Amino acid sequence: MQDILQVGAVTSTHGLGGEVKVFPTTDDPARFKDLKSVLLAPGSANHAGAKSGQEGALYEDKPDTMRELEVERVRFFKNLVIVKFRGLDRIEDVEGMKGCALYVTRENAVKLEEGEYFIADLIGLDVYADEAWEPSGDRESGKMETSRGCLAGDVEPDKKTSGGAGVFLGALTDVIQTGANDVYEVSLTDGRKVLIPAIRQCILDVDIEKGTMLVHLLEGLLE
C-alpha cells in the first residue's frame, strides 16, 4: 500500500499574490477546503485524475524531495482549484511550481466508502479469473480457450488466489475514467491487454493486503 497519494497537479500561477491553479486528481475537489497542508513534489505531475476511491497516483521519487506547504485558503474556478499557500505571497514564490504534483499522506486522505479503493493501491494487483480455463487452444502459440470460447493469455498454473479458486490473468496496469464507471486495464501474460469495467458483475473481490483481484470476464471481453 502506498503511503503518499496525489490530490492535484499545479498547472500555472494565478495573479501576482502567490496563488496557483491546481488541477484536482480527486473525485471531490471540495475536499481541498479541508486540507491543512500538502506535500509538493517536483515535476512529473499526473493530470489523469483518480477515481476508484478519490486521490490516487503514487509518488515514485524519494519522499525527502518533497516540500510541505501549509494551505492558507482555496477557491474554485471552473474545473480548477485556486490555492494560496501560507508565506508565499508573491508570484516569484510560486513560479517554479508549474508541473509539480501535490500529495497528502494516507492518514490525511479522504475516507473511503465500501467498495472504493485508491488507484495507487490498485495498480500492480495480480488479477485472476473466476472460471477455470479449458486448454483446448493452441498452447504453442501461448493461447488457451476459455469455457466461453474466448481467447485469453496463457496462464501460470502456480499462481492461484488465496482461496484456490481462479486462474492468473496478469497485472492491473491502469485505471481509466469513462465518466460512468472506471475501467481496469489488465496486461495479460501473452502481452495483450484487456479492459474490464469496474462493475459488480465483473469485479468480484479485491484484496489490497494480499495484492489480488478476482474478476469475472463477460463474454466478448477477450475477443
Side-chain angles (χ1 to χ4, degrees), residues 92-125:
E92 291 82 4
D93 297 331
V94 296
E95 282 181 323
M97 293 185 184
K98 183 176 180 181
C100 293
L102 301 178
Y103 292 81
V104 295
T105 56
R106 184 175 291 274
E107 55 265 30
N108 291 324
V110 295
K111 304 303 180 184
L112 299 180
E113 301 293 336
E114 183 178 356
E116 291 186 328
Y117 307 93
F118 293 118
I119 288 179
D121 293 336
L122 293 174
I123 300 297
L125 290 183

Side-chain angles (χ1 to χ4, degrees), residues 150-192:
C150 300
L151 290 179
D154 199 357
V155 301
E156 297 180 18
D158 59 328
K159 284 211 173 188
K160 300 292 183 181
T161 59
S162 58
V167 181
F168 182 64
L169 288 177
L172 195 155
T173 51
D174 196 10
V175 175
I176 303 168
Q177 292 180 281
T178 65
N181 56 264
D182 290 349
V183 175
Y184 298 154
E185 179 187 87
V186 178
S187 295
L188 303 176
T189 56
D190 67 355
R192 293 182 299 142

